Amino acid sequence: MVILKNIDTNIIQYISILGSVVFIGLILMLIRNKRIKEEFSILWLFFGLVFLFLSIWRGSLEIIARILGIAYAPAAIFLILIIAIISILIHLSLITSRLTDQAKVMIQELGLLKMEMDTMKKQSKPDCPEDSHTEG
Amino acid sequence: MVMKILAIVPSFNEAENIIHVIESIKEENPLIDILVVNDCSKDETGALAESTGQASVVNLSSNLGIGGAVQTGFKYAMRKGYDIAFQFDGDGQHLASEIKILLDPILHNEADVVIGSRFCQKQNGFRSTPLRRRGIKVFEILNSLLIKQRITDNTSGFRAYCKKAIHFLAENYPDDYPEPEAVLVLGKNGFKLKEVPVCMQERKRGNSSITGIKSGYYMIKVLLAVLVNAMRSRSAKD
């Protein structure tokens, strides 16, 4: 316990603030370079700001922990982090499901279109040998 | 008025069966149009189907699975104005001689959807393995409770649909393993279902798509889909 007393807990605060700022900056840069669409970055930005807020105002974590009945305040940070990760993962599942649906429709339409086009091609070249067979 | 009838033949790697399937349908009834949906087969299924000159062939550029493939058929049937469409699997397990039995209730306006059932009457023929039959029984009980129409063979892919059902399914056909879920969705949306007894053959060549661990996944996925669907309001599926 003697060792702990000598620790300057301000250091972790500086690191947290710096980390949050770098994180938000990274996301903003990715949006700017059009590597992420705004729609997909909102959750990242939101939780980046939450962590920036928590690292600037340290007392807020104690308050949150007290409200939620968490005896060990730093555990609250894990709770918030897990909520952040799970909500982003669910969001990703939503996006993947939508993409799967869109891809399905596109594959179906592409198949039907290709067939239509082949039929039209055959009709426009009636003497094409491929077309010699008739229905029935 | 002559009804326009379409056979939707979903096929994935069925090079060994597809020609026989197409010919058997045409022999049975030459007025039926055939649409082969080639679900991105790795073999010559698509080319062989086209070579018969008796079927239109849609070649999907990626593998969609049976649900997406059959739905492609519904979209085609809807756009080309077919009055009746029926699913006839490309693996040869359905019998062309029974198409008439399957279509009759729709032609006589007795039902919107007809399902060829292996179980609604004592009969011979291939009736699946004991374990699978147990799974099928689960769907029978569950779906019967949920839609209040007794359907004994929820996994049968041998089905015929009226025009209204074709239009509905072109937009609302389930993915992956669609058969039991489709029964529920159709029942909930007020379609009149009817089962007719049919025989099925054990597949001639090639492998079933659902084996081993996949059977467990199949049951869980379909049960989940059926239960979640039961919670949805009418035709809320998009």
Side-chain angles (χ1 to χ4, degrees), chain B residues 111-225:
Chain B
D112 301 314
V113 177
V114 185
I115 300 172
S117 168
R118 288 162 284 182
F119 307 110
C120 71
Q121 215 176 67
K122 283 244 173 284
Q123 62 195 288
N124 304 318
F126 178 58
R127 303 183 68 187
S128 207
T129 60
L131 188 66
R132 283 188 186 198
R133 277 210 300 276
R134 207 163 301 163
I136 291 168
K137 194 77 192 170
V138 172
F139 291 128
E140 175 186 341
I141 295 166
L142 189 65
N143 266 354
S144 303
L145 283 174
L146 290 170
I147 62 172
K148 298 179 182 70
Q149 299 186 53
R150 182 156 179 258
I151 302 296
T152 58
D153 197 351
N154 281 282
T155 57
S156 163
F158 193 33
R159 297 175 175 189
Y161 304 93
C162 73
K163 197 168 194 166
K164 216 172 70 190
I166 295 171
H167 285 231
F168 176 77
L169 293 174
E171 297 304 321
N172 298 287
Y173 202 60
D175 295 321
D176 251 6
Y177 307 119
E179 289 86 6
E181 206 182 330
V183 169
L184 179 73
V185 177
L186 286 163
K188 277 185 68 179
N189 284 278
F191 288 95
K192 207 168 141 204
L193 310 175
K194 184 181 172 155
E195 280 193 308
V196 293
V198 298
C199 284
M200 286 191 197
Q201 277 177 316
E202 201 159 358
R203 49 185 304 117
K204 287 204 175 71
R205 302 175 194 88
N207 297 311
S208 164
S209 56
I210 305 164
T211 48
I213 300 173
K214 268 192 178 169
S215 321
Y217 170 73
Y218 175 88
M219 283 302 290
I220 293 169
K221 190 263 159 186
V222 178
L223 278 178
L224 176 71

Side-chain angles (χ1 to χ4, degrees), chain A residues 97 100-116 118-119 122 130 133-136, chain B residues 26 33 35 50-51 53-62 64 68 71-72 75-76 79-80 173 175 238:
Chain A
S97 304
T100 313
D101 254 359
Q102 287 171 339
K104 180 186 85 177
V105 173
M106 251 161 47
I107 293 163
Q108 290 175 335
E109 292 299 329
L110 183 65
L112 290 168
L113 262 175
K114 269 197 305 195
M115 185 175 74
E116 195 105 321
D118 287 346
T119 324
K122 279 180 196 163
E130 259 184 30
H133 48 233
T134 42
E135 288 275 324
Chain B
K26 279 290 181 187
D33 291 337
L35 178 76
E50 250 162 87
S51 74
Q54 299 185 314
S56 304
V57 182
V58 184
N59 292 301
L60 299 179
S61 46
S62 290
L64 286 182
Q71 190 181 33
T72 311
K75 288 186 174 174
Y76 177 84
R79 288 170 201 179
K80 300 285 175 182
Y173 202 60
D175 295 321
D238 52 5

